[in-house]
């Protein structure tokens, strides 16, 4: 049985410290649902990933990484007529990360409701979606809606991570409308401190709302009680990937039947681990690492 | 006075030996007209470049490289509403180079006839265009047509390099139609051995037709006489850029009043030099290098 | 149904150009059967791999690469009490490759006959073994013997690649004895030019004997006719991996029902491809690459 | 009209973490006035640079970087008879930076008063000089004196940065004499905390004295009022370049008509930015970066 | 006259940040006594090293580094029948360092009492041993015992550093027995905070006991008075090597006749310096560096 | 007893493929006599090196490399008042290597006759000098003359390698005068094909004249008979160092009592080996490598 079913766009990523000057860049693959899937698989959960990649080498890389990590990719599609999307990212010290999404016409943006397997979602314990993928085009958005319908019809828990990326939306208004819709449809909602306004109507007691405050820690309101944990201190290499690593940790804790505080601690562990490497997913812990984590500074 | 006026799309380029496995890639900027402009500027010719880049770091890099090399970029536009195009390239030994062009909606594809400065083109000695840019979208194509009209009206010499990239065209037929149109409009035509069929109607005595046969050398038919030179032997790192470096060398020779054979020799020198480095343009020679070139294997 | 079942030791590998001076080395995983399995899987064949790795990061890497490439690792064991073996390799230009095998007590050397699944081997189309693994210790040797017995009892074709490594054997005599035993038990025998003496008694018409002559090409004697193909010319980066890539190509051709000459051509294609990269397996072609191979020097 | 005219020596720089052991070093170009010029040009000010480089590749690199960044190099000279100077620098954690200046006989040390364009300096809004260049030889020193005379005669503001490098001076006494002379001739004086004694006579109310206290912040006394700002906290990669980046920020603020406190804030922004990269100048902000700066630690 | 005589195993070391993903690793040589010997030699003390390496390139590297650093290697043996031992090390941020020792059958583990030069040890001022080497096999252990006997017979001071590595011992009990034996035989004992229980019987006033508390500082009890120093704060790259660098600093201070507090300060200086680089020994200071150390954060 | 005594300047070297663009360079140490000394020491000959380095990290690196390789550096001086010389080198494919020597005022150029140990030279079997060092300044030149006098007075064989570097000489005439003087004083003369004119008067039967023709092989005239060997074919990475490696091989053969043809073969082996790596000396063979050399292309 699948623990978590997720769908969205996986991309190539080219990361540079200074695009203007550097002649070497880091080449990797990424995506919020990709990170979530790897994070859960490494902790031993069964997780299935639906998406579309091009019939190119970036697509092959996405396939083999997911398969190598033990993610179920039976539903993943290869699109012969489109290339795999790409993200170019500059992480300059002292300035916000700059991103350029090359997703227009990409394979990932061509996922349609027709690709969504109603039965497989209905047989999973949880469906997880992110707001980033909702911004990649109308087809993906419809596919996500189809997945939510399938999940709710089968009484499968719906988890949604807001992951608002302003550069991908035509207007804040539109983002608010779409993100709010998914937030309201969710049972478990992940939202960053600065995204709270976008999904205000969903911040009610009907759902488990997990707030990621970054360096200031995280909290969850469950059964009317608020639980808080501080952020784990580690030397940060690159923050990308931390958001969905956080979700993976929280969901893993939930699947393992941990208490809300324990879920948050696992969430912050994974979020912190994700930031210790340039890759968005390679530093994620294996299950054996869960009890080996010792984020204090050495010597 | 401008010796050569050129227009087209400059792109970022991410080059990898094996996209499926490598975590490091080469980051650079490129474009056929970009290479041509740098090649001519390094040899001391005045060259102006028209194109459009995004208001991002790849765009800034294109600007500062061109300016640093002494190319006149007074007409270059920065588009606040689009990102700079990108090329992902895999050069695997033993297999053809794989390319993915991320140009849909890019700044470079949004150059329009309105950006084309009729007077500046009319005041140049030569206009140079390439078939690659003609495939980037209808607006660029119209801009190129406007430039040709401006040049021919002012009796400015028109140079055209076919640079056929099958992956950028909907069909061979369409490529044939557009490339043929520019070939017929040109006074100086650069064509690769395997592109001859595409521009057959233009292969007449009315124009100077330069045929690049790659490893088999190059030839030109001028005033009804055919001149031939062998290719220069160098250890090849990456062939990309060789085509337009070849054009730059030939045009430089023409501007310097060299004989057809001498033009071809300079063309093959630049083409060979371009292939000795991973970058498409960094290995291009300065004028002082022209007489220092000694491509024999050392020791 | 499994096309090919193989077993042996997979190792970490640390490769350096000059161990005495270099502070950077290449870290990868390798093994002759590992290479064979990846080579076959990339061409679309179903292949199962049996071996033992340590409960360490090198072991995890072996697992995820094999799984990512689509190799069936259901039988692969993780040994909690031993570390994954390691190979240190210096490839200095102009001198033979120097190797140090750190396999004493390694997980890979602790594979025993008890791990060999009689039924799964009996259900495969072919069993492939190599002489390198036979030298790693008495337990592996017995496991290999058990596998041969299982195969022959079930009338499964046995393929054997001699891969003689002098540094792993106590004496030539011993190597001759053991390698000869497997050669005689095989239906398909891969032998290098300089290994012919070691397996002389097996060089009879009873089996398909494929001789790899390296730069001088390869030949096979099948049904009393000798077929010869020249070696493919490519720029060589590292010859390691070429032997088993050759076997993978030949076996793939056999599984596809190709003629002996075509099998040899696919074998030399894979062998050449394997040498174009530092990794022993990463440069192996996908099925789509089979018809894209064009080993001529570019430009 | 030129906002700032500066002159001095630009050098190649080879930077290593451990010269004794490392086989890779960072190759770049540098110079205090070089950094100042780039810093101002990136913020949109017009800045002209006078210096001398050799007819070698390091010289070409200096030329193309300055041109690429938009610095006016119309007066920059190429010396056919001398090589471009070089700085070798070791930045070992926990120990002071070690520097070796290879400037004896270099092109940069051969700048003479005859190269100084009286009229162009007279037409600028400000002349900026540094004490480092004053130590490179008697000819440069005389050229600097000629520039100061030209500026004062034309009532152009003179800015001077002490930048005392003990290893370049024969004695403290001599440094004191020369640096004091320029300090007294300046209207705007930049001095580090530990250089105050060297220019004591100039620390009067007649001029704007900006004191850089490094990690302890910076202050300026203007119109008898002292303004203080703390240093900006960023992860430091290499402090080199921070001094002149600081000057560039302060001067930019002055040119923009900012208040003394705002000038200091821009100065500390640029100083902090300069230290976040290995290069002395590549991390300097563009004008658009001024309001994007957010030096707090991420996550 | 030899100041310090030491013996033990020197190894190759392959260090990676993430073995599972990285294709580049750091290649170096190491060993606790190796680090100690280099640390003392750089400070001008005469130090002799006894050990055994293989007749391979790792062995040659160990030889030439030690010779190059001025360590007396007259007694060092090259074993024609065994390979040099190897350590594979993963230093992942936030998790304890993972190590795999490939020492089974290695040259270093084949040092026997017969190789121990009684007279040379008797002529030294001090003998230094470590608990790590005691775990490499029965022969090394016997050689260490022979060395202690030789030293005590000649009234040479015996120094012992506990350096407990759990992965190298069959049980804590056995470690306790062996380490306790050497601790009791020593005049100078180095012990980490978390090793105190292992050598409890030796923590008496009879010997100088130096306790390394890592980030919490260090202390020594000498002549019944306890001296304490805080740890030096530096940006840590890799803690490996810090333990023996600490010993080298303390012993150097003792040889120079410094007070206990000064010895501890030199010990913490060397320990801190060792952690500032990836190599275990390359960042160790030369004597001239002793007074240049300024571990405060720059800018 | 010392087999070979040599003296000259050792330098740091910064090597780049493209100084204009590359941000990474190779950092190493070099010098013709340095290469010769390492080459001979690796083959087991006793060799002493006299020179002067600065009290800086490049100087320390030269010291520790020579000591590590087993070269006798008892006479090597550290100059507290000058920095170690430096060579910047660009090896661009297709163009001659560009070099800039930063030796003005360097420690190496300050070697004087007073440093030359008459007795130690008198006790050696051979003195080896090079023309490169003769161009570094009048003091080094005088020191070389003193060494020659000491050798001839003690009937020690004098070996001289012309190593003409045009950029280091004021005129060909001056080079001819000085190089000719040493050539005439030598018993063994190494000269490149294109240097023959410079030392014409010395090309007589009185001395053993070895002519290095690079890719065309080498020859020697000994006892009126001419011996010729072809050059060894290897993939060339960097030709620098080949000249003195050639001398080291020839002299080693002479010291071993080989025939002229065998000496040439060892010379070409070392020359070829030196060119297979970027370093001028690291690829030199150990004695055990002499019979392992197999320069044929692999696979």
């Amino acid at each position: 049985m699948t623990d978590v079913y997720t769908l969205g766009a996986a991309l190539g990523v080219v990361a540079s410290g200074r695009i203007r000057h550097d002649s070497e860049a880091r080449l990797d693959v990424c995506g919020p649902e990709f990170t979530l899937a790897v994070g859960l698989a490494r902790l031993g959960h069964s997780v299935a990933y639906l998406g579309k990649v091009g019939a190119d080498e970036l697509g092959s890389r996405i396939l083999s990484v997911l398969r190598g990590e033990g993610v179920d990719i039976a539903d993943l599609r290869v699109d012969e007529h489109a290339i795999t999307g790409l993200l170019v990212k500059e992480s300059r010290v002292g300035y916000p990360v700059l991103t350029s999404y090359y997703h227009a016409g990409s394979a990932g943006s061509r996922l349609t409701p027709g690709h969504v397997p109603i039965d497989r979602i209905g047989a999973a314990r949880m469906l997880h979606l992110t707001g980033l993928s909702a911004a990649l085009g109308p087809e993906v958005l419809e596919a996500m809606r189809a997945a939510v319908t399938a999940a709710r019809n089968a009484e499968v828990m719906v988890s949604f991570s807001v992951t608002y990326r302003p550069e991908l939306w035509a207007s804040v208004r539109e983002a608010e409308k779409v993100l709010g819709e998914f937030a309201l449809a969710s049972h478990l909602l992940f939202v960053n401190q600065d995204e709270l306004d976008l999904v205000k109507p969903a911040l009610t007691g009907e759902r488990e709302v997990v707030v990621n405050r970054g360096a200031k820690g995280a909290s969850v309101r469950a059964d009317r009680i608020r639980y808080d944990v501080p952020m784990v201190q580690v030397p940060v290499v690159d923050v990308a990937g931390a958001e969905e690593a956080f979700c993976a940790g929280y969901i893993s804790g939930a699947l393992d039947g941990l208490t809300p505080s324990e879920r948050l601690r696992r969430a912050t562990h994974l979020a912190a681990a994700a930031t210790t490497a340039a890759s968005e997913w390679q530093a994620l812990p294996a299950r054996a690492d869960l009890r080996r984590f010792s984020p204090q500074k050495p010597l």
Side-chain angles (χ1 to χ4, degrees), chain A:
Chain A
M1 185 191 166
T2 301
D3 290 326
V4 180
Y5 198 98
T6 188
L7 66 88
L11 310 158
V13 55
V14 174
S16 164
R18 197 71 171 111
I19 288 173
R20 205 182 280 222
H21 296 294
D22 292 353
S23 57
E24 288 200 350
R26 226 189 145 269
L27 181 64
D28 201 348
V29 290
C30 72
E33 301 85 3
F34 177 99
T35 298
L36 182 106
V38 173
L40 287 169
R42 286 201 172 174
L43 296 179
H45 305 288
S46 70
V47 51
Y49 177 86
L50 167 64
K52 233 180 179 178
V53 297
D56 46 30
E57 292 292 302
L58 281 172
S60 297
R61 184 165 176 166
I62 289 166
L63 287 176
S64 62
V65 170
L66 285 173
R67 194 163 42 198
E69 295 292 331
V71 174
D72 170 353
I73 55 167
D75 297 338
L76 192 55
R77 304 296 178 96
V78 176
D79 187 328
E80 299 287 337
H81 305 296
I83 55 179
T84 305
L86 190 72
L87 167 62
V88 173
K89 190 171 74 170
E90 180 182 271
S91 304
R92 188 151 52 115
V93 175
Y95 301 90
V97 172
L98 293 177
T99 54
S100 295
Y101 282 88
Y102 292 86
H103 66 93
S106 71
S109 71
R110 289 155 59 110
L111 189 76
T112 67
H115 299 121
V116 177
I118 307 300
D119 51 340
R120 291 210 60 201
I121 290 175
R125 291 177 64 188
M126 191 187 288
L127 171 73
H128 181 78
L129 301 174
T130 78
L132 193 152
S133 293
L136 294 182
E139 290 179 307
V140 183
L141 180 56
E142 287 311 314
M144 288 172 62
R145 283 176 175 142
V148 168
T149 303
R152 295 202 69 105
N153 287 347
E155 298 193 351
V156 168
M157 190 177 180
V158 174
S159 164
F160 181 65
S161 169
V162 178
T163 53
Y164 172 56
R165 297 283 182 275
E167 64 269 42
L168 291 176
W169 293 94
S171 67
V172 180
R173 176 119 330 174
E174 201 189 314
E176 211 174 325
K177 192 173 136 282
V178 174
L179 299 173
E181 169 196 337
F182 284 99
L184 283 168
S186 71
H187 306 93
L188 173 58
L189 177 63
F190 294 95
V191 55
N192 285 341
Q193 176 86 23
D194 56 2
E195 297 166 342
L196 289 170
D197 282 354
L198 285 167
V199 293
K200 214 175 243 170
L203 305 176
T204 63
E206 286 166 80
R207 57 185 58 77
E208 201 169 334
V209 178
V210 189
V211 184
N212 185 341
R213 297 195 164 80
K216 278 172 284 178
S219 64
V220 65
R221 188 169 295 273
D223 298 328
R224 311 209 161 267
I225 305 171
R226 174 170 161 165
Y227 303 84
D228 264 285
V229 299
M231 182 42 64
V232 174
Q233 297 297 322
V234 285
V236 173
V237 172
D238 191 314
V239 295
E243 263 174 305
E244 293 312 293
F246 180 92
C247 300
Y250 192 89
I251 291 171
S252 166
L255 293 169
D256 282 2
L258 301 188
T259 67
S261 291
E262 290 166 337
R263 294 173 192 186
L264 286 176
R265 269 195 286 278
R266 190 172 287 179
T268 53
H269 171 176
L270 264 73
T275 67
T276 61
S279 172
E280 303 194 6
W281 58 274
Q282 291 181 353
L284 289 172
R287 185 158 277 264
D289 291 325
L290 285 182
R291 55 175 196 283
R292 297 174 58 244
F293 193 50
S294 56
Q296 66 276 13
K297 291 261 180 62
L299 187 75

